[in-house]
Amino acid sequence: MIPYGRQNISQSDIDAVIETLQSDWLTQGPAVTAFENALKSHCTSQYAVAVCNATAALHLAYLSLEIGKGSLVWTSPNTFLSTANAALMCGADIDFVDICPKTYNMSVEALIEKLQKADKEGRLPSLVVPVHFAGQSCDMAEIHKLSIKYGFKIVEDAAHAIGGKYLDKPIGNCKYSDITIFSFHPVKIITTAEGGALLTNNKDLFDKISLLRTHGMTRDPEKMNKPSEGAWYYQMVDLGYNYRITDIQCALGLSQMKRLEEFVNKRHSVRNQYESLFSNIEDVIVPYQSTDSYSSLHLYPVQVGKDKRKEIFDILRASQIGVNVHYFPVHLQPYYRRLGFYEGYCPNAENYYHSAISLPMYPDLTQNQIEYVATKLKEALT
Ligand SMILES: *Cc1c(COP(=O)(O)O)cnc(C)c1O
């Protein structure tokens, strides 16, 4: 089976992990800091915090921005569950902004319309979470302008997008947001097995996130309400979690960061091959690449039409091609329907979902495999 995505682990990745296993630290040692330094240096952000997964990263991002009961969070329905779930984990309310039918990202027009309406009704969001779907950046400059006008915070869900760029600058620089989060799940661009990170340029947010990552505990005398009782002493000053990542994982992450550019370049080479193979096939809509953005190409979703999607999907699976669908619109999950969302709430995301198939996309795909996928897809269309 050719999967839709998979990790690439080199001998140097393996050596880095073994070295850490033989060192003094398995968790919270030098590799965590080294990985965080590599992330912020790549992204040109001031702070980075590595955590156990991107769902935890989203949860800490929202908490650090004081999202809680009574807050309203808006995101895209074309995302993985966590983006919305993390808002509910904070006790906040969630709402969805429909996508642009061309980029499959949150539509700026739909956002403007929804903000105008919410403004009249006195129920503006506290936080908007654009998702850089498939690795292509949302229109962050526009969303940032709106955040100033309407007074909301921004977290970029860049789980798909490390190694991508927006207006020639690395995604994760947080120029247009308060916090950016990444995922390092094996199907994503680089991996630490499970893992995630938060990037920010705001020292207060960094301190809050660091505190909440480890139980809300501090050993910093300045943060205590009375003098320390000795070297053993710590205080719990907030309700936090154990969202730490291990040194073993960060050793892998650090080694993978050295290969990030190579990974993204290889993904672009796969995209170029698909594009030339589908160039004269009208029934296959390939992912649009915005000129503002250099995508990390986490996914390669093509649209084949509502009527034929299931049949084509089944033929490809039967041909040992592990195609997938990203995403079933979050607002139509049974849990979210119980909150009042319904079919037709985000028609663009729903239409896109019914017609989409994610073709295999990862650095190690060979030319033969790419041609095989394209041939089987063309056969299935006829
Ligand atoms: C994968 C993913 C997440 C969650 O990542 P985990 O590291 O698995 O928790 C969040 N948002 C998006 C858009 C994702 O694709």
Side-chain angles (χ1 to χ4, degrees), residues 53-55 58 79-80 82-83 131 157 159-160 183 185 188 195 327:
N53 59 62
T55 307
L58 286 162
T79 185
F80 184 64
S82 317
T83 325
V131 179
D157 184 339
H160 299 181
S183 171
H185 182 280
K188 308 283 163 76
Y327 285 100

Side-chain angles (χ1 to χ4, degrees), residues 89-278:
M89 285 154 65
C90 297
D93 294 326
I94 186 83
D95 203 351
F96 299 93
V97 183
D98 206 358
I99 62 168
C100 159
K102 194 156 136 189
T103 63
Y104 318 144
N105 276 334
M106 179 185 283
S107 154
V108 171
E109 288 72 40
L111 178 60
I112 292 172
E113 212 173 290
K114 201 172 169 77
L115 284 166
Q116 287 169 346
K117 193 158 166 272
D119 196 16
K120 280 195 201 117
E121 293 167 356
R123 185 76 171 119
L124 282 166
S126 340
L127 169 67
V128 173
V129 188
V131 179
H132 302 320
F133 177 73
Q136 172 158 262
S137 179
C138 295
D139 193 349
M140 291 311 301
E142 284 305 314
I143 297 172
H144 182 250
K145 273 190 214 153
L146 292 167
S147 77
I148 293 166
K149 182 164 177 196
Y150 290 99
F152 56 82
K153 303 278 202 259
I154 301 175
V155 171
E156 294 173 68
D157 184 339
H160 299 181
I162 193 168
K165 292 188 186 127
Y166 173 66
L167 300 178
D168 283 328
K169 304 251 164 51
I171 289 180
N173 68 10
C174 300
K175 181 165 179 209
Y176 299 107
S177 63
D178 297 281
I179 299 169
T180 301
I181 71 94
F182 294 131
S183 171
F184 310 124
H185 182 280
V187 295
K188 308 283 163 76
I189 308 292
I190 64 159
T191 192
T192 57
E194 295 284 355
L198 303 93
L199 289 98
T200 184
N201 294 324
N202 180 318
K203 172 82 165 59
D204 292 338
L205 292 177
F206 169 71
D207 287 344
K208 184 89 189 264
I209 293 161
S210 307
L211 189 73
L212 296 181
R213 171 174 64 175
T214 305
H215 310 285
M217 284 166 59
T218 184
R219 291 177 192 276
D220 178 355
E222 296 209 340
K223 296 205 169 81
M224 297 186 186
N225 69 348
K226 61 188 187 76
S228 169
E229 295 177 10
W232 66 86
Y233 190 74
Y234 57 79
Q235 281 191 346
M236 176 182 147
V237 296
D238 206 338
L239 179 61
Y241 301 82
N242 178 354
Y243 278 172
R244 293 187 303 260
I245 186 169
T246 66
D247 248 42
I248 305 167
Q249 290 169 292
C250 288
L252 176 57
L254 183 61
S255 180
Q256 289 257 303
M257 274 305 283
K258 296 179 187 144
R259 310 175 59 215
L260 175 59
E261 206 181 309
E262 167 205 330
F263 288 160
V264 176
N265 286 342
K266 283 188 170 165
R267 287 172 180 273
H268 275 267
S269 144
V270 174
R271 172 179 86 90
N272 292 339
Q273 292 176 70
Y274 274 138
E275 253 178 40
S276 62
L277 290 163
F278 295 135

Side-chain angles (χ1 to χ4, degrees), residues 21 24 67 76-77 129 131 154 273 285 317 367:
L21 277 169
D24 291 338
I67 297 304
S76 164
V129 188
V131 179
I154 301 175
Q273 292 176 70
I285 300 174
R317 276 279 176 99
Q367 192 182 337

